[in-house]
Amino acid sequence: MKYSILAVVFSLATISATFGQSTDEFFSKADAFFKTNVTNGRVHYKAIKENPADLNELLEAAKKITVVEANAKEYQAFWINGYNLLVIKGIVDSYPLKSPLDVGGFFDGKKYEIGGKKTTLNDIENKLLRAKFPAEPRFHFVLVCGGLGCPPIISKAYKPSTLEAQLEKQTKLALNDPKFIQLNKNKVKISQIFEWYKGDFTQNGQSLVDFINKYKSEQLPEKTKVSYYPYDWTLNETK
């Protein structure tokens, strides 16, 4: 009996260690991939197309990884990186192109095997992240759609240990970018992200201006009139 209990404990410890190593390795390799293939918020799609081995190896490993909501930072970091990598994969598979929208069903039709699931990009964003963590609007500043209208992709991976700081940093960068928040006197034009996902930003009775001002260095006047500029779906490709 003692042997059996010890065997089970050892087995569970081994599984746990292996699981931990696999996620650590995924984050480490994802970090190296983004550092190599992203510059100033733009992606080197042509170079990845010519040599897709690193991307394919990463996504192959990601198929076998399982993360749980209870470990929120690991779960969120995995799916944020997974989303950004799959956007790159979807673009590379059809490259050259001018926009992710050139590919039919890019976000809601094509299914990928990742994290032990078969899922679309839209489902990663809306079912696996937004629905599971409805009080977290900062996802919108780290999930990168492949178009220039999105906040820029960063040249590193999101990791559990740094995720909170990274979410905060990317949100502040976006909301202090005069191209993203276009102010003219008491009128402001903002991304359609705020229109499409308005409920995420206006929780607990706050307005869009209230949300923006939480992160903006120069505060918008309380009575600022808000409108939306057209979304730019031009590919976020290195020039």
Side-chain angles (χ1 to χ4, degrees):
M1 178 64 75
K2 286 183 179 179
Y3 173 79
S4 298
I5 292 172
L6 287 172
V8 169
V9 169
F10 178 77
S11 178
L12 289 172
T14 303
I15 291 169
S16 177
T18 303
F19 174 75
Q21 288 169 0
S22 66
T23 54
D24 287 347
E25 186 175 4
F26 170 78
F27 289 126
S28 177
K29 288 188 175 181
D31 193 59
F33 175 83
F34 288 123
K35 283 178 179 173
T36 300
N37 294 289
V38 175
T39 303
N40 297 325
R42 304 279 187 117
V43 182
H44 302 277
Y45 293 111
K46 185 174 184 291
I48 301 169
K49 177 77 173 184
E50 291 170 352
N51 184 12
D54 289 344
L55 177 61
N56 291 338
E57 181 185 342
L58 253 177
L59 291 174
E60 189 63 32
K63 289 180 182 179
K64 305 175 184 70
I65 293 173
T66 302
V67 288
V68 294
E69 297 163 54
N71 190 343
K73 294 305 179 190
E74 181 180 61
Y75 178 97
Q76 292 172 12
F78 174 78
W79 286 113
I80 291 167
N81 289 312
Y83 180 96
N84 292 340
L85 289 167
L86 289 175
V87 167
I88 293 172
K89 171 67 173 171
I91 289 169
V92 166
D93 284 350
S94 297
Y95 189 86
L97 69 169
K98 295 181 179 180
S99 164
L101 297 188
D102 290 347
V103 182
F106 186 87
F107 293 101
D108 60 0
K110 187 170 182 179
K111 287 197 171 184
Y112 298 94
E113 190 176 342
I114 182 172
K117 305 175 185 292
K118 284 193 174 180
T119 184
T120 65
L121 288 166
N122 272 3
D123 283 350
I124 293 175
E125 178 179 12
N126 298 315
K127 294 182 179 180
L128 299 179
L129 286 170
R130 291 179 61 238
K132 303 290 187 184
F133 302 93
E136 182 53 271
R138 296 175 298 175
F139 290 142
H140 296 292
F141 305 102
V142 298
L143 296 171
V144 183
C145 67
L148 292 176
C150 271
I153 190 169
I154 62 173
S155 56
K156 59 180 67 176
Y158 291 93
K159 297 181 178 180
S161 60
T162 56
L163 181 61
E164 175 60 30
Q166 289 174 309
L167 285 167
E168 195 73 0
K169 179 180 179 180
Q170 293 312 116
T171 302
K172 285 180 178 177
L173 283 173
L175 299 185
N176 285 282
D177 182 348
K179 293 179 181 177
F180 195 74
I181 304 292
Q182 302 172 5
L183 180 62
N184 183 11
K185 296 183 180 178
N186 66 333
K187 295 181 180 179
V188 63
K189 289 185 177 182
I190 59 178
S191 169
Q192 284 184 288
I193 289 172
F194 292 101
E195 181 180 19
W196 298 331
Y197 302 101
K198 187 174 181 178
D200 292 8
F201 303 107
T202 56
Q203 299 182 57
N204 303 315
Q206 72 176 350
S207 68
L208 288 174
V209 170
D210 291 335
F211 176 82
I212 292 168
N213 280 342
K214 283 171 61 177
Y215 299 96
K216 200 171 186 326
S217 299
E218 294 184 16
Q219 300 283 282
L220 298 176
E222 188 178 333
K223 295 183 180 179
T224 300
K225 294 180 180 178
V226 173
S227 61
Y228 307 96
Y229 55 81
Y231 205 79
D232 186 356
W233 284 103
T234 306
L235 191 65
N236 61 344
E237 179 175 22
T238 51
K239 295 180 180 178

